[in-house]
Amino acid sequence: MASDEVYIAGGGLAGCEASWQLAKRGIKVKLYEMRPEMMTPAHTTGDLAELVCSNSLKSRDQTTAPGMLKAELNALGSLLISIAGKSSIPAGTALAVDRKRFSRIVTREISENRNIKVVREEFTDIDSHRPIIIASGPLTSERLSTQLRDLLGSKHLYFYDAISPTVTAESIDMKKVFKASRYDKGEGYYINCPLNKEEYDNFYNALLRSHPFPKWEFEDDKFFEGCLPIEELAARGEDALRFGPMKPVGLKDPRTGKMPYAVVQLRPEDKRGKLYNMVGFQTRLNHREQEEVFRLIPALREAEFVRLGSSHRNTYINSPRHLDRTLLVKGTDGIYIAGQLVGVEGYVESIAMGLVAGLSVWAAISGKEPPYFPPTTAIGALLRYITTVPDGSFQPMNINFGLIDSIKGRYKSKKEKRLAYYRRSIKEIEVIARAIEIKRKTKSSKGNRD
Ligand SMILES: Cc1cc2nc3c(=O)[nH]c(=O)nc-3n(C[C@H](O)[C@H](O)[C@H](O)COP(=O)(O)OP(=O)(O)OC[C@H]3O[C@@H](n4cnc5c(N)ncnc54)[C@H](O)[C@@H]3O)c2cc1C
């Protein structure tokens, strides 16, 4: 692919990171940001890379999955993670930033870069004759959404996140479950967590007492009936859940030979069977309460929740169907997607997907092999997840250890094991970092245009 200039739609976290990765390798970028002329319902300034809600980029402890992801991004020379470090404020092990300072420094670095031209306009034209990175985020403008729908097909662009919690397989109490699918149709695909009447009543009452997150003004009160948060369903009556997502019909517990009073079904979330999703348990409950309430399900008493439920406005594509691991839209010559649009959740995950798209386009333009991020790294694990989830069950995901290839060996503690994950990933990332290093320009070198 040869091109004079790369167009990037969206000057948010992913778009800025992608622009920087290209510009510092000598590639000209036109970065389209529609703010302040045209605002999204959540952004409030015209600054690039505005953080719309929390000012936390989560843990920097390298023995956590978000910490490992940040360390990888640092090793790969991420602009935004380095600016986050410069604008950080004390917050224990979390990387919290002064949000205004963060966005202002990003805006300055991007605007002053001579290879980047910031265009304050809505981007509306997906033209496949030049490399394009679409990084317009969860609140992509209406007109660009229509273009994306035309490109991918209306079934493959989603506007609502109705996420149910996910637990790791190893933390489910397997003595308290049985594997079966309703009416024995198909193979024993689901893990069923039975509840007797007393356990159900207990769970139901706790749910009624709990508190959902407040909605953003622009979020519509109406949910699709099939995506109704469980607390809203529970409020309809005592048996609403038993006739809804917790219905036991068609299931027989082999240990009792009977149909349980109620059931929570868990469905594998990845091909490897490491993560399980609580089917139909999308919820807006606050996170602390979610863990407390869901632990009342006997098989989930000790569950490790790698993602909690949510229901909010979002825009993301059916990546497993449409993207390859370089974030190129399959079947196109140079349309890449980055950031939250690819189906990752969170600030740092979105930055990571901007970095990957930037490096992929750079490699394509310079005739190089794009970097391969193995699933032993946090970046590679995210890329594997978004490109391989079985059709029909794709939901946005944040980084967690359930996605990363497990590590063999005996460790004295969980912490020590996680340190081994970190060391393994950093070793791999350093190899990639060396391969993508910017070489000093020599007279004979081609491609660098700055
Ligand atoms: C209301 C809300 C609250 C959130 N809170 C959190 C949180 O607390 N923590 C967290 O980790 N994540 C949060 N997220 C998710 C968060 O948005 C993402 O993690 C992150 O900002 C996504 O990065 P991005 O670069 O993909 O998109 P963004 O950072 O949103 O950047 C996209 C940019 O594209 C611009 N744009 C859109 N359409 C066009 C167009 N057609 N032409 C030109 N420009 C366009 C937008 O103005 C925006 O600047 C939240 C999301 C929402 C919607």
Side-chain angles (χ1 to χ4, degrees), residues 10 12-14 33-35 53-54 123 136-137 141 216 340 346-347 350:
L13 299 176
E33 171 51 60
M34 65 182 188
R35 291 178 292 114
C53 187
S54 154
F123 183 86
S136 43
S141 73
W216 285 74
Q340 181 127 337
Y347 298 147
S350 299

Side-chain angles (χ1 to χ4, degrees), residues 262-335:
V263 148
V264 175
Q265 289 204 298
L266 306 176
R267 182 172 50 211
E269 181 130 329
D270 58 344
K271 273 191 179 158
R272 301 172 310 140
K274 297 268 182 192
L275 298 175
Y276 278 82
N277 181 259
M278 297 174 69
V279 180
F281 267 58
Q282 52 276 359
T283 170
R284 299 184 67 108
L285 292 194
N286 83 46
H287 286 174
R288 189 183 44 78
E289 282 185 324
Q290 282 191 40
E291 295 207 22
E292 275 172 25
V293 176
F294 298 145
R295 288 218 164 89
L296 296 173
I297 298 158
L300 301 184
R301 229 152 246 161
E302 304 292 329
E304 182 190 1
F305 291 88
V306 293
R307 181 184 61 190
L308 288 161
S310 62
S311 273
H312 61 83
R313 167 84 163 80
N314 197 2
T315 312
Y316 64 100
I317 71 163
N318 185 3
S319 293
R321 169 71 68 94
H322 288 291
L323 293 187
D324 70 17
R325 284 183 69 131
T326 68
L327 304 182
L328 174 73
V329 178
K330 291 177 199 165
T332 70
D333 195 21
I335 303 179

Side-chain angles (χ1 to χ4, degrees), residues 204-406:
Y204 173 75
N205 289 321
L207 199 53
L208 286 190
R209 284 194 304 270
S210 55
H211 305 89
F213 275 122
K215 292 187 180 79
W216 285 74
E217 262 172 39
F218 60 88
E219 285 178 347
D220 169 345
D221 253 341
K222 295 178 211 89
F223 290 98
F224 302 115
E225 195 61 17
C227 300
L228 210 61
I230 47 158
E231 59 279 9
E232 296 210 8
L233 202 54
R236 292 181 176 184
E238 206 178 305
D239 284 327
L241 292 174
R242 286 207 323 123
F243 287 97
M246 295 177 78
K247 67 174 179 277
V249 291
L251 291 167
K252 205 190 281 173
D253 188 339
R255 292 161 308 177
T256 61
K258 289 188 184 149
M259 184 174 83
Y261 187 74
V263 148
V264 175
Q265 289 204 298
L266 306 176
R267 182 172 50 211
E269 181 130 329
D270 58 344
K271 273 191 179 158
R272 301 172 310 140
K274 297 268 182 192
L275 298 175
Y276 278 82
N277 181 259
M278 297 174 69
V279 180
F281 267 58
Q282 52 276 359
T283 170
R284 299 184 67 108
L285 292 194
N286 83 46
H287 286 174
R288 189 183 44 78
E289 282 185 324
Q290 282 191 40
E291 295 207 22
E292 275 172 25
V293 176
F294 298 145
R295 288 218 164 89
L296 296 173
I297 298 158
L300 301 184
R301 229 152 246 161
E302 304 292 329
E304 182 190 1
F305 291 88
V306 293
R307 181 184 61 190
L308 288 161
S310 62
S311 273
H312 61 83
R313 167 84 163 80
N314 197 2
T315 312
Y316 64 100
I317 71 163
N318 185 3
S319 293
R321 169 71 68 94
H322 288 291
L323 293 187
D324 70 17
R325 284 183 69 131
T326 68
L327 304 182
L328 174 73
V329 178
K330 291 177 199 165
T332 70
D333 195 21
I335 303 179
Y336 292 77
I337 313 277
Q340 181 127 337
L341 265 184
V342 304
V344 293
E345 274 278 319
Y347 298 147
V348 180
E349 288 83 346
S350 299
I351 293 171
M353 294 301 112
L355 181 133
V356 170
L359 292 178
S360 299
V361 173
W362 161 70
I365 290 176
S366 359
K368 294 182 194 301
E369 271 300 302
Y372 171 73
F373 293 94
T376 43
T377 65
I379 296 176
L382 280 171
L383 289 170
R384 172 171 66 186
Y385 173 78
I386 61 160
T387 52
T388 63
V389 173
D391 220 12
S393 52
F394 185 51
Q395 288 195 338
M397 183 66 91
N398 53 283
I399 188 64
N400 65 74
F401 278 111
L403 299 180
I404 301 169
D405 266 2
S406 38

Side-chain angles (χ1 to χ4, degrees), residues 151-173:
L151 177 74
L152 308 173
S154 56
K155 283 204 320 247
H156 301 294
L157 183 67
Y158 309 121
F159 294 101
Y160 229 91
D161 251 6
I163 292 184
S164 26
T166 299
V167 296
T168 58
E170 60 186 14
S171 69
I172 302 167
D173 186 345

Side-chain angles (χ1 to χ4, degrees), residues 8-17 31-36 38-43 45-58 80 99 119-125 134-145 216 218-219 312-315 338-342 344-351 353-354 398:
I8 299 187
L13 299 176
C16 290
E17 185 64 47
L31 174 63
Y32 285 82
E33 171 51 60
M34 65 182 188
R35 291 178 292 114
M38 192 173 156
M39 297 299 282
T40 78
H43 291 81
T45 72
D47 289 343
L48 301 177
E50 181 183 330
L51 300 176
V52 282
C53 187
S54 154
N55 67 334
S56 168
L57 277 70
K58 298 199 188 139
L80 271 74
R99 68 175 73 241
V119 182
R120 295 288 183 165
E121 271 173 32
E122 182 190 12
F123 183 86
T124 53
D125 189 19
I134 302 170
S136 43
L139 304 168
T140 293
S141 73
E142 198 63 48
R143 284 202 285 182
L144 188 53
S145 297
W216 285 74
F218 60 88
E219 285 178 347
H312 61 83
R313 167 84 163 80
N314 197 2
T315 312
Q340 181 127 337
L341 265 184
V342 304
V344 293
E345 274 278 319
Y347 298 147
V348 180
E349 288 83 346
S350 299
I351 293 171
M353 294 301 112
N398 53 283

